[in-house]
Amino acid sequence: ERYYRPTAVEGADERTLLSEAIFQFSATIRSATDNSILWSSGEISENWPYDYGSGQEADLEVTRRGIQSLADRMTQDYSSAPIPS
């Protein structure tokens, strides 16, 4: 849904001292037969602070953390689902 990198600027030379990569998204699994929603992750939001010049590393890390959070939610919801009898 959204990925952005706000920055904090301080000092007379306006050099960027600290930035933050932010990744916000949600995932939905739908039925192939009727397109009904079978599962929804809700909003997932991850952030990763980084210093000037490390933006690409921050992009990779915040994405990795977001995908890991999604996998954790899917696993948690799956393991707590009732077992059909």
Side-chain angles (χ1 to χ4, degrees), residues 2-6 20-24 45-48 62:
R2 185 159 106 147
Y3 175 83
Y4 58 102
R5 287 196 244 162
E20 183 173 39
I22 301 170
F23 183 32
Q24 295 175 325
S45 182
E46 291 293 334
N47 62 327
W48 189 258
V62 77

Side-chain angles (χ1 to χ4, degrees), residues 1 6 8 11 26 30 34 38 40-41 43 47 55-56 60 75 78 84:
E1 292 183 23
S26 62
R30 294 184 175 270
D34 64 4
L38 300 175
S40 179
S41 67
E43 183 177 303
N47 62 327
Q56 191 170 26
L60 293 172
T75 301
Y78 179 74

Side-chain angles (χ1 to χ4, degrees), residues 43-61:
E43 183 177 303
I44 297 172
S45 182
E46 291 293 334
N47 62 327
W48 189 258
Y50 66 94
D51 294 323
Y52 178 77
S54 302
Q56 191 170 26
E57 291 173 38
D59 291 347
L60 293 172
E61 183 61 25

